[in-house]
Amino acid sequence: MKAPCNPSLVATCKMSEVNPVDDIAATLRAILDGHPQSRIEDLMLWRFNQLSSLAA
């Protein structure tokens, strides 16, 4: 059985050349690690590439 997925999120990730699984995993990891709600903007898709390149 496949897990449900938001098709618009997947399409947006593909248009932004971001792997949707990596984006979702990174977002969930940040939330579980206590990312502050006041900085939720940091978890938006358009910031994913910026955060990924900083971690590398």
Side-chain angles (χ1 to χ4, degrees):
M1 182 175 181
K2 289 187 176 184
C5 189
N6 184 334
S8 68
L9 175 63
V10 173
T12 303
C13 284
K14 288 181 179 181
M15 288 188 317
S16 300
E17 298 180 357
V18 171
N19 181 326
V21 174
D22 291 344
D23 174 61
I24 293 167
T27 300
L28 291 175
R29 191 176 316 111
I31 291 168
L32 291 173
D33 288 345
H35 188 86
Q37 288 182 342
S38 62
R39 292 184 41 219
I40 198 74
E41 185 82 11
D42 294 345
L43 302 178
M44 297 295 121
L45 177 62
W46 53 87
R47 297 255 179 113
F48 183 77
N49 282 333
Q50 295 170 350
L51 295 175
S52 299
S53 62
L54 291 176

